[in-house]
Amino acid sequence: MTIRTLAVIGTGLIGTSVALAARAHGVSVYLSDRDESAVRAAAVLGAGRPQLPRDPVDLAVLAVPPSQIAPVLSELQARGLASSYTDVASVKALAEREILDTAPDPSRYIGGHPLAGRERSGPLAARAELFRDRPWVLTPTRLTSRAAFGRALDLIALCGAVPRVMRARAHDDAVALTSHAPHLVASLMAARLREGPVDAARLAGQGLRDTTRIARGDSRLWSDIVESNAAAVADILTRLQEDLSSVVAALYDLADRERGRELSGKSRHTLVDLLDRGAAGVGELDEPRPGQPVPCPPR
Amino acid sequence: MTIRTLAVIGTGLIGTSVALAARAHGVSVYLSDRDESAVRAAAVLGAGRPQLPRDPVDLAVLAVPPSQIAPVLSELQARGLASSYTDVASVKALAEREILDTAPDPSRYIGGHPLAGRERSGPLAARAELFRDRPWVLTPTRLTSRAAFGRALDLIALCGAVPRVMRARAHDDAVALTSHAPHLVASLMAARLREGPVDAARLAGQGLRDTTRIARGDSRLWSDIVESNAAAVADILTRLQEDLSSVVAALYDLADRERGRELSGKSRHTLVDLLDRGAAGVGELDEPRPGQPVPCPPR
């Protein structure tokens, strides 16, 4: 085990959960957050000491929004906080590009993203078990050192997660599809719920609750996430927009014909085709493919 | 109890579940379905006898797609199958209009819709408990008789559900928002899952599974449902489409600026505003308002 001391920068849900998992394995954990009350709450939960140490720690975990990764890394490296650095942000390519351009020592950094979360945010929602058996993506660059890679793998092991190595861009394209676009789509649907008949929600079932659940969540954090992966998310939503236009046109056509009691084979086909493709798409989630083996660390 | 004999027309998930609930209360149940294997499966499950009786039953439940309610009712009334009739379709206004125009005796009919379901369909997915504590909407017309109303209330009691009385149009507007539009939105998102990187689904979490779960389900039945409520669903999706256009434009703007490292306050505001409205919309589902009392049956 290469991690005896750990610093966690940002004691929200994810940072505090990492800290709790490390504490459960006897690691000395130091906590920091711009928000004094968040760091105190994390410390009270037993996540670590509410201060940063004088001597360098083995690993620092940046649990800050995607847009803050590069500037915070530069600041921490300038003061020599840690031997190695990783982060847990859900977008990787933008920060990686900035870090390769501007960080004092990019070789000490490896990007990371644990695929875990809850709708609740903040340290009080944290759990040491949050990452258990979940994928945790690492995105080494051509400069990432063997030591930084190894410490990140050890952190993942401490958290009980399953490492997966990907290129930052491939990661971001995947999560645009599996997380960022779905979040916005849930928000788009949920936003309608305040526009309808006042008592419509009384007829809501589990289906509606499930489709909109992820639209809870911190709007500013999610705006930062989605903005950091804007082009990939926009491309997916553009394809969705094309389908949506066809469906709306088909529905208005069918509503007209309904009055006239005629058939409209083409519009009906548009609906059935979308529903079929949707059902097939959900089917993709049924087929867990075998995990990609973790290749040897570079250098 | 006004129901000693019951006919169930259509032994899919809902029809068979109604039949099982009635059987559990000792009601004699007769089953019919265009699909011989569906009616046999329901009978084997103990849902009733796989044939229609010679003498009229107290109540017939039409568990057929929305577009089939009016023609099937006319056919059954012509042969005198039952004293009263109801249905369980998830769209009410279109069938009601047709029935008032064409049914042999509209006074013997009352529309109904139990707000319950599963992604699985067919008789083998049926459960007597499916409706327990769920809302069950009744949509009496100006012609509905006291006897038909009373028998429908008794059926709801047999099923352990909670009656709610609404106008057909108000019902359809509400479920367009809480069920039909969300189903299409889930399909629109799920359809993207076959267009992405081949291994993206490996990074899927519970959030994606929940947002797309309802896109499973019988495409032809859902097409019939959505078509029967086409105008109301189209109006909701049109508002969603407007929001979506703004969000896509904002994302492309932010993607450009990302390259240029400038800020774009307006586009960011568009994102945060949508996310805020989405979170507020989900909040609507947190506030169960007290149930509307059931008014006295008409006439």
Side-chain angles (χ1 to χ4, degrees), chain B residues 86-217:
Chain B
T86 188
D87 74 291
V88 293
S90 47
V91 188
K92 306 262 58 89
L94 181 62
E96 178 179 297
R97 206 157 61 222
E98 292 176 13
I99 287 165
L100 290 175
D101 283 352
T102 65
D105 184 355
S107 74
R108 294 176 181 273
Y109 165 79
I110 182 168
H113 177 208
L115 277 288
R118 306 182 66 187
E119 289 72 54
R120 293 177 54 204
S121 55
L124 299 178
R127 314 167 169 174
E129 298 299 304
L130 189 65
F131 311 105
R132 172 83 42 206
D133 298 327
R134 297 292 306 151
W136 187 315
V137 175
L138 292 176
T139 55
T141 69
R142 64 187 189 283
L143 299 182
T144 300
S145 71
R146 182 181 288 269
F149 202 136
R151 288 210 184 85
L153 286 172
D154 279 348
L155 179 70
I156 294 171
L158 282 180
C159 292
V162 182
R164 288 201 6 89
V165 174
M166 298 178 76
R167 287 194 181 278
R169 186 68 255 155
H171 166 274
D172 288 2
D173 287 344
V175 292
L177 184 64
T178 61
S179 172
H180 306 165
H183 193 104
L184 289 176
V185 169
S187 298
L188 287 162
M189 184 62 232
R192 308 281 79 78
L193 296 175
R194 304 194 74 180
E195 298 169 353
V198 67
D199 60 350
R202 280 200 266 178
L203 298 189
Q206 196 56 42
L208 178 64
R209 285 173 212 285
D210 286 351
T211 52
T212 55
R213 186 176 56 78
I214 57 171
R216 297 176 199 267

Side-chain angles (χ1 to χ4, degrees), chain A residues 44-216:
Chain A
V44 166
L45 289 172
R49 275 168 264 181
Q51 69 204 38
L52 291 183
R54 292 183 183 209
D55 297 328
V57 293
D58 295 320
L59 179 66
V61 177
L62 281 58
V64 299
S67 65
Q68 298 305 304
I69 300 293
V72 170
L73 179 68
S74 289
E75 183 191 322
L76 297 176
Q77 286 201 329
R79 65 177 276 187
L81 176 70
S83 302
S84 302
Y85 299 82
T86 188
D87 74 292
V88 293
S90 47
V91 188
K92 306 263 57 89
L94 181 61
E96 177 180 295
R97 205 157 62 223
E98 292 176 13
I99 286 165
L100 290 175
D101 283 351
T102 64
D105 184 356
S107 74
R108 294 176 181 273
Y109 166 79
I110 182 168
H113 177 209
L115 277 289
R118 307 181 65 188
E119 290 71 54
R120 293 176 56 204
S121 55
L124 298 179
R127 314 166 168 175
E129 298 298 306
L130 189 66
F131 311 105
R132 170 86 40 207
D133 298 327
R134 297 292 306 151
W136 187 314
V137 175
L138 292 176
T139 55
T141 70
R142 64 187 189 283
L143 298 182
T144 299
S145 72
R146 183 180 287 269
F149 201 136
R151 289 208 183 87
L153 287 172
D154 279 350
L155 179 70
I156 294 171
L158 281 181
C159 292
V162 181
R164 286 202 6 92
V165 174
M166 298 177 77
R167 289 195 179 277
R169 187 67 257 155
H171 166 273
D172 289 1
D173 287 344
V175 293
L177 184 65
T178 60
S179 172
H180 306 165
H183 193 104
L184 289 176
V185 169
S187 298
L188 286 162
M189 184 61 233
R192 309 281 79 78
L193 296 176
R194 304 193 75 180
E195 299 169 352
V198 67
D199 60 349
R202 280 200 265 178
L203 298 189
Q206 197 55 44
L208 179 64
R209 286 175 211 285
D210 285 351
T211 52
T212 55
R213 186 176 56 79
I214 57 171
R216 296 177 199 270

Side-chain angles (χ1 to χ4, degrees), chain A residues 192 194-195 202 209-210 213 216 219 227 235 238-239 243 252 261 268 276 285-286 290 292, chain B residues 98 192 195 202 209-210 213 216 219 227 235 238-239 243 252 268 276 280 285-286 290 292:
Chain A
R192 309 281 79 78
R194 304 193 75 180
E195 299 169 352
R202 280 200 265 178
R209 286 175 211 285
D210 285 351
R213 186 176 56 79
R216 296 177 199 270
S219 296
E227 175 177 346
D235 289 348
T238 298
R239 291 197 295 274
D243 259 351
Y252 280 127
R261 311 299 309 135
R268 197 166 291 143
D276 280 343
L285 304 179
D286 288 338
Q292 178 181 311
Chain B
E98 292 176 13
R192 308 281 79 78
E195 298 169 353
R202 280 200 266 178
R209 285 173 212 285
D210 286 351
R213 186 176 56 78
R216 297 176 199 267
S219 296
E227 175 177 347
D235 288 349
T238 297
R239 291 198 294 275
D243 259 352
Y252 279 127
R268 198 167 290 143
D276 280 343
L285 304 180
D286 287 337
Q292 177 182 311

Side-chain angles (χ1 to χ4, degrees), chain A residues 222-237:
Chain A
W222 273 95
S223 173
D224 193 302
I225 290 170
V226 167
E227 175 177 346
S228 301
N229 202 15
V233 177
D235 289 348
I236 293 164
L237 292 184

Side-chain angles (χ1 to χ4, degrees), chain B residues 35-92:
Chain B
D35 176 352
E36 246 330 287
S37 66
V39 80
R40 270 203 306 269
V44 166
L45 289 171
R49 272 168 266 180
Q51 69 205 38
L52 292 183
R54 293 184 182 207
D55 297 328
V57 293
D58 296 320
L59 179 67
V61 177
L62 281 58
V64 298
S67 65
Q68 298 306 305
I69 300 293
V72 170
L73 179 68
S74 290
E75 183 191 323
L76 297 176
Q77 286 200 328
R79 63 177 278 187
L81 176 70
S83 302
S84 302
Y85 299 83
T86 188
D87 74 291
V88 293
S90 47
V91 188
K92 306 262 58 89

